[in-house]
Amino acid sequence: MSLDVTKVTARIGARVTGVDITRPLEPEQVAAIREALNVHKALVFDATGLDDAGQEAFARHFGDLTTAHPTVPAVEGAPNVLPVDSERGRANHWHTDVTFVVNPPQATSLRSITIPPYGGETLIANAAAAYRDLPEPLRRLADTLWAEHTNDYDYAVPDEAIDAQEAARRSQFTSIRYRTAHPVVRVHPLTGERGLFIGGFAQRIVGLSVPESRKILELLQAYVTRPENVLRWRWSENQLVLFDNRITQHYAIDNYDGLPRRLNRVTVAGDVPVGVDGKESYAIEGDASHYTTVAAVAVGA
């Protein structure tokens, strides 16, 4: 096995070479990739020759797949593949994928399909490094907090500023309303690292008012998005990025003048998050059983 892992930045990201992800992987290769993901949080692969079925097969090495999304349609004929297409909207806000359900995906794979000639980068942030950066008093506070996540989130855009197409997309996104309480500090089930588990779908701290919650969430979020904690990935054709959705956030930058941009996303079913006190996340509203199974936590899972 000639797997080679080369760091991209000090705190997050690595290129992986010496493995052909268009072919079935050996157990030793899967274990090595999982270990690299635990360490670097986001991995970049050459995906030349990979199609939707190949992307699904690659992601399936790490667990059961979710369907494309709880409310948004999949690629036709590929129920596990979500088109992240600029023509269907732009998710230019920091978030962790699908945290409004009780067991968000453990890992996300994105494959470049159409890349604009400039812009269109994806930012990926290391939430474990953010937690370590917190001053001790803030860390102790964060350890005790829970946040309510929902897909009916605050877009911070006045209703009159959106057109009919965008209004239809939002209506589809919230066609099933989800609310889930997660620990603000999540313990990674494989590494034991603590990470800030917040992002754009986290709308309120349990037990606090919305204005109070926003101040605390903004304060903690500022540590996640510190430049030294962020990988800014400039896409090329035929690339696949795999990132650990348990302990990262990401942001697709809308900086390409409306030119076509398309990635295909496949996600791996996750476990129920656990806080530092050992308590699990719990659903408040919405059934996501059609979207994802609940992954059992095991080394290599």
Side-chain angles (χ1 to χ4, degrees):
M1 186 177 66
S2 56
L3 197 73
D4 185 45
V5 180
T6 305
K7 292 176 72 167
V8 177
T9 81
R11 291 191 171 188
I12 181 169
R15 285 181 176 270
V16 179
T17 57
V19 60
D20 182 357
I21 65 172
T22 68
R23 303 171 62 86
L25 302 181
E26 297 296 330
E28 296 83 2
Q29 293 174 307
V30 175
I33 292 170
R34 172 66 80 180
E35 177 59 25
L37 189 63
N38 288 343
V39 172
H40 301 288
K41 310 300 187 275
L43 305 175
V44 183
F45 298 84
D46 174 38
T48 302
L50 199 69
D51 57 11
D52 286 341
Q55 184 177 358
E56 290 173 317
F58 171 74
R60 198 172 278 112
H61 285 102
F62 305 98
D64 293 339
L65 303 185
T66 72
T67 57
H69 192 273
T71 59
V72 179
V75 170
E76 186 174 354
N80 304 109
V81 182
L82 180 74
V84 181
D85 193 332
S86 59
E87 294 185 359
R88 294 176 56 165
R90 296 170 177 84
N92 54 326
H93 67 103
W94 283 104
H95 65 286
T96 298
D97 281 335
V98 201
T99 58
F100 45 83
V101 304
V102 74
N103 62 310
Q106 59 164 293
T108 294
S109 69
L110 292 172
R111 178 170 58 94
S112 56
I113 307 296
T114 303
I115 301 304
Y118 53 85
E121 300 96 335
T122 297
L123 306 180
I124 308 173
N126 184 339
Y131 177 82
R132 291 193 295 269
D133 285 344
L134 291 176
E136 183 61 28
L138 272 183
R139 203 179 303 152
R140 289 199 304 268
L141 173 63
D143 285 345
T144 69
L145 299 177
W146 284 66
E148 186 178 299
H149 296 235
T150 176
N151 59 333
D152 190 13
Y153 65 95
D154 180 7
Y155 291 87
V157 177
D159 289 343
E160 60 269 20
I162 66 171
D163 58 21
Q165 189 176 31
E166 178 61 22
R169 281 195 290 264
R170 291 189 183 184
S171 178
Q172 181 182 65
F173 193 79
T174 58
S175 56
I176 304 173
R177 190 165 184 264
Y178 292 96
R179 287 191 302 139
T180 298
H182 292 299
V184 165
V185 178
R186 179 180 185 176
V187 179
H188 194 286
L190 301 184
T191 67
E193 285 184 291
R194 297 180 181 186
L196 291 175
F197 197 62
I198 44 177
F201 299 122
Q203 292 293 290
R204 187 178 68 85
I205 299 294
V206 175
L208 298 183
S209 68
V210 170
E212 290 168 333
S213 298
R214 284 177 176 166
K215 290 176 181 178
I216 291 175
L217 289 168
E218 287 172 2
L219 175 61
L220 296 175
Q221 183 69 14
Y223 284 85
V224 177
T225 58
R226 282 182 166 185
E228 57 267 36
N229 292 333
V230 176
L231 169 68
R232 182 175 181 133
W233 188 253
R234 170 66 180 136
W235 290 93
S236 299
E237 292 184 354
N238 300 313
Q239 286 184 329
L240 182 140
V241 173
L242 177 70
F243 56 84
D244 190 332
N245 198 59
R246 292 160 163 157
I247 206 157
T248 62
Q249 290 183 31
H250 57 285
Y251 185 120
I253 310 173
D254 182 7
N255 63 347
Y256 45 96
D257 289 333
L259 295 166
R261 178 185 185 272
R262 165 81 177 263
L263 310 173
N264 277 7
R265 185 179 94 183
V266 175
T267 52
V268 183
D271 49 295
V272 178
V274 174
V276 298
D277 59 359
K279 293 182 180 178
E280 293 187 339
S281 302
Y282 57 93
I284 300 169
E285 180 180 358
D287 179 6
S289 57
H290 67 288
Y291 162 64
T292 180
T293 57
V294 178
V297 176
V299 176

